[in-house]
Amino acid sequence: MDLQGYGIPDDLLYTKEHEWARQEGHAVKIGITDYAAKTLNDVVYVTTPKLGGKVQQFQTMGTVESIKAVSELYSPVSGTVTKVNSRLDMSPELVNKSPYGEGWLIEVEPADLESERKKLLDSKAYSAYLSTLLK
Amino acid sequence: MLKETQLHSYHAEHGKLTEFAGYEMPLWYTTTTEEHLAVRNGSGIFDVSHMGRLAVRGEASTAFVEGLVPTSVARQQPGKAFYTLLLNDRGGIIDDLIVARLGLQEYLLVVNAANAVRDLDHVKALAPAHGVEIEDLTPTSIMIAVQGPGAQRSLQGLADVDLAGLKRFRSSAAKVLGQPSLISRTGYTGEDGFEVIIHGPTVESPGEAVKVWEGLAATSVPCGLGARDSLRLEAGFPLHGTDIGEDTDPFQADLAWVLSSDKGAYVGSTAVSELRSHPPGAVRRGVVLDQGIPRHGFDVLEASGKVGTVTSGTFSPILKKGIALCRVETTGSEPGTEVSVVVRESPQPGHIVKPPFYDEDVYGWKSRGNGK
């Protein structure tokens, strides 16, 4: 799906803070949406929780910064961090180049995905939400 | 309702817009990083038509401008431009500006957009009843900055004067695409470059303004306010209203070099003489962090505790590190001093530097033959 040039893949779940979550087996990969990346314009610095750290659904888990601004990251799910995208240390621009691919942020082992996923938006709901912001 | 410059239609079509100083201006066209690097390595253009342009003319103009700024005016030859300050009676900085002496009895003051109304009031209030005429040229001209090591080549194609012969901080009347203009070898990026004022275009009747911009855009990268801010910060230039203001004097601002001792009274001169005999308690400095990005308002710490505050910070695309201008206690403000900046509750180590932040052998106007 695509809304005014912003990519919104159908297979992801979204937050209203513009993070996405993708189930990959038992794990959940997390990143920021194309809209968030384009709004930041050029991501130059990313801070994420450490490996083994805990994240809570809708609680801050780090920051993404452009030259001009800082944006808080909110975790779409609760769980334990099992992977951190260390390529972002040297190449934070991957978040802009490939927000749903190489620019992913962390992977977590979810604590309670079945109940938490109900609080996330699917691509249709996120697209509808985004269209209200773009008016 | 936001004001627009004569080039607004171009910005609206090609850029991401933002509000600045009451104007709707381009924040970026592609990315701030790309635009920033284009200026350091090639050439970039900025619409700076929102900046205030005040002409001061008349037989009493030299004496009047002399009394307005702390830099010697009589010593400047026609064709010279210089950076200086407008001070209040307490020595606080009302604005920083470029003054160009265009003739024996003609000056141009280029002031910050955010202060343009205040500055015009200040200047008009001090003007004598006779012998000085003040005209606000802002609505009837555009101003484009062409900046970077490739700026001369980019602008030369449109200008009828030999730019190689125009030295840094000199200005010259010229025609740009046939339009009456003033070209000054000045800028706010640290690089070689020019600021071009083209007389005539108004918002209602922009005429050739867009053609000049598009002509330059053929050989220069259009840059928004994002890059303008990161470039000036990397060069160590203060932004009025953020890094300096009416509560900072020229000594605290690390701008005492603009003060001429060989001149008579000017607005603020009594306060400046007194301030000169007392070292400032706090002074403007640069800080480079090993990690993290310092932002406006963050605390600066030394072993003794809090010693200052970040006044503006960004990520330097050249250093690939967080950099900031800050106000720190004079004791312990020596370049090289180890400090930390509290970035979201986490102190990040760094050190004090005297800007510019980049290596002047590689970047900036001093690194190249042009304009020296």
Side-chain angles (χ1 to χ4, degrees), chain A residues 41-42 45 65-67 69-70, chain B residues 28 30 32-33 292 295 314 344:
Chain A
N41 181 233
D42 50 354
Y45 205 82
E65 300 194 47
S66 66
I67 287 191
V70 189
Chain B
W28 41 261
T30 57
T32 296
T33 305
R295 304 284 183 184
T314 192
R344 286 174 294 280

Side-chain angles (χ1 to χ4, degrees), chain A residues 64-91:
Chain A
V64 271
E65 300 194 47
S66 66
I67 287 191
K68 200 87 184 152
V70 189
S71 186
E72 299 267 359
L73 291 168
Y74 298 88
S75 183
V77 296
S78 306
T80 306
V81 180
T82 50
K83 279 182 192 167
V84 172
N85 187 357
S86 56
R87 286 181 70 195
L88 300 182
D89 292 347
M90 293 305 293
S91 306

Side-chain angles (χ1 to χ4, degrees), chain B residues 21-220:
Chain B
Y23 283 83
E24 190 166 63
M25 296 296 289
L27 182 59
W28 41 261
Y29 300 92
T30 57
T31 72
T32 296
T33 305
E34 268 182 53
E35 294 165 17
H36 182 110
L37 294 174
V39 171
R40 291 271 177 256
N41 299 314
S43 181
I45 47 172
F46 304 79
D47 178 13
V48 287
S49 303
H50 58 313
M51 296 189 78
R53 296 175 287 286
L54 312 179
V56 178
R57 306 185 190 98
E59 57 188 23
S61 59
T62 298
F64 173 59
V65 179
E66 193 80 77
L68 211 54
V69 298
T71 311
S72 172
V73 174
R75 255 195 347 207
Q76 316 285 341
Q77 298 297 317
K80 186 82 172 68
F82 57 100
Y83 174 81
T84 189
L85 305 168
L86 292 176
L87 301 176
N88 62 27
D89 290 333
R90 291 168 285 114
I93 300 170
I94 293 175
D95 202 3
D96 60 346
L97 70 160
I98 296 281
V99 176
R101 185 169 195 180
L102 304 181
L104 285 172
Q105 299 183 346
E106 185 178 4
Y107 296 84
L108 178 73
L109 280 52
V110 179
V111 304
N112 281 299
N115 300 327
V117 173
R118 163 115 174 65
D119 292 350
L120 183 60
D121 289 348
H122 175 77
V123 170
K124 278 188 171 165
L126 292 164
H130 302 287
V132 171
E133 180 207 333
I134 293 160
E135 187 189 354
D136 183 3
L137 303 178
T138 317
T140 54
S141 61
I142 63 165
M143 184 160 155
I144 299 173
V146 190
Q147 299 281 301
Q152 183 180 309
R153 185 181 298 180
S154 179
L155 179 58
Q156 187 66 79
L158 283 73
D160 71 338
V161 293
D162 176 26
L163 296 176
L166 188 66
K167 292 186 174 134
R168 196 152 173 86
F169 280 98
R170 301 278 164 169
S171 56
S172 170
K175 289 210 166 151
V176 174
L177 280 185
Q179 306 299 302
S181 307
L182 180 78
I183 301 179
S184 304
R185 198 161 201 143
T186 50
Y188 193 46
T189 61
E191 296 298 326
D192 184 28
F194 305 87
E195 288 170 308
V196 185
I197 293 170
I198 295 154
H199 298 289
T202 61
V203 169
E204 295 74 25
S205 175
E208 303 292 298
V210 175
K211 272 190 197 162
V212 172
W213 176 266
E214 287 179 344
L216 289 166
T219 48
S220 290

